[in-house]
Amino acid sequence: MFTGETGAGKSLLIDAIDALFSGSTSQPNSRIVRSTATEAHIEASFSVNNAILSWINEHDLELDDDDLIVTREWRKRQDRFVSRSRVNGLIINRDQLSSLRPLLIDLTSQDQSAILGSLSQQLSWLDRFAGPELKPFALNAK
């Protein structure tokens, strides 16, 4: 969780993280990329836990370091941007990125704060934090 005064850049950071993980739009917005740009690049580094290690193994990827590097790059083609995502330098598809996102981040805006009090959501977060080795014992195990 992070907080800050108005104008400190919180929403810009949220927009960048959302864009990194193919958020609500596939096109980078004007707050992230200049209108005159022909390419853009966002990269983030994450510490690895057991859930992420399981994801890496499940998708036949390799981990060279103790960190997971997620990269998204855009290149302008004609009137629009096309994007490509990578994990530790290897190209991944949108479905893989979508399955990785909840293991790395939980984005909740002010108007979504009611979800914090939801018992089922809290159990889901706790189960995910515990990792796959404890999944058989989870209350909502599938």
Side-chain angles (χ1 to χ4, degrees):
M1 174 185 261
F2 60 92
T3 62
E5 294 183 27
T6 301
K10 300 178 301 292
S11 60
L12 188 60
L13 180 60
I14 293 296
D15 286 351
I17 292 170
D18 193 46
L20 177 68
F21 287 102
S22 297
S24 57
T25 178
S26 64
Q27 299 294 304
N29 71 37
S30 61
R31 289 166 35 119
I32 296 174
V33 179
R34 288 185 196 163
S35 60
T36 58
T38 58
E39 61 184 54
H41 178 100
I42 295 177
E43 184 173 277
S45 175
F46 298 89
S47 298
V48 176
N49 61 26
N50 289 336
I52 295 168
L53 282 174
S54 293
W55 185 91
I56 289 168
N57 292 331
E58 179 182 325
H59 291 89
D60 296 323
L61 298 173
E62 293 183 18
L63 185 64
D64 296 334
D65 202 350
D66 290 336
D67 292 332
L68 184 80
I69 309 294
V70 179
T71 306
R72 185 152 183 222
E73 53 198 40
W74 293 271
R75 297 202 189 287
K76 199 162 202 171
R77 294 223 176 105
Q78 297 168 351
D79 291 349
R80 59 185 304 258
F81 283 96
V82 293
S83 70
R84 176 175 287 165
S85 297
R86 299 176 191 267
V87 168
N88 290 355
L90 300 172
I91 295 173
I92 61 170
N93 63 41
R94 188 179 201 111
D95 290 339
Q96 290 172 309
L97 188 62
S98 293
S99 69
L100 178 61
R101 179 182 176 141
L103 300 176
L104 298 173
I105 61 168
D106 278 318
L107 287 181
T108 306
S109 65
Q110 277 180 305
D111 57 338
Q112 294 174 318
S113 60
I115 198 170
L116 297 174
S118 163
L119 180 59
S120 63
Q121 183 62 51
Q122 291 173 6
L123 285 172
S124 174
W125 287 328
L126 187 58
D127 290 344
R128 194 169 58 221
F129 178 75
E133 61 275 356
L134 295 179
K135 189 167 186 161
F137 305 104
L139 293 176
N140 59 352
K142 294 178 183 165

